[in-house]
Amino acid sequence: MEKASDLTQGALDLLILKYISLEPKHSGAIAKRIQQISSEVLRVQLGSLHTALHRLEQQGWIIANWNPLSKAINIVVVEA
């Protein structure tokens, strides 16, 4: 049986992929959009979002351009 945290991670991953599939986005815009489309129910902290983005990048789903100076992360979905 899956743990609740595994299900939560999977849901966040799907929300991220859905949103950035339309066009490249940066992490702040992703967090804001998830909050908007969930009618303010889901509030993703940037730390949690960055962890999810690292996970998606390691799995080969996205390409992330990390800029430590501006703390901006531009993300694109890897095309199959």
Side-chain angles (χ1 to χ4, degrees), residues 46-60:
L46 286 180
S48 298
L49 180 60
H50 290 177
T51 299
L53 293 172
H54 276 292
R55 183 174 53 251
L56 290 169
E57 186 175 36
Q58 289 173 347
Q59 294 172 347

Side-chain angles (χ1 to χ4, degrees), residues 7-42:
L7 294 173
T8 302
Q9 285 179 356
L12 178 56
D13 291 355
L14 288 174
L15 286 169
I16 292 168
L17 290 170
K18 173 67 176 164
Y19 182 55
I20 63 175
S21 67
L22 303 173
E23 64 182 277
K25 300 289 182 204
H26 60 86
S27 56
I30 294 169
K32 183 176 180 179
R33 184 64 180 144
I34 289 172
Q35 186 173 341
Q36 288 173 340
I37 62 175
S38 70
S39 300
E40 307 289 324
V41 172
L42 300 175

Side-chain angles (χ1 to χ4, degrees), residues 29 42 78-79:
L42 300 175
V78 173
E79 296 294 327

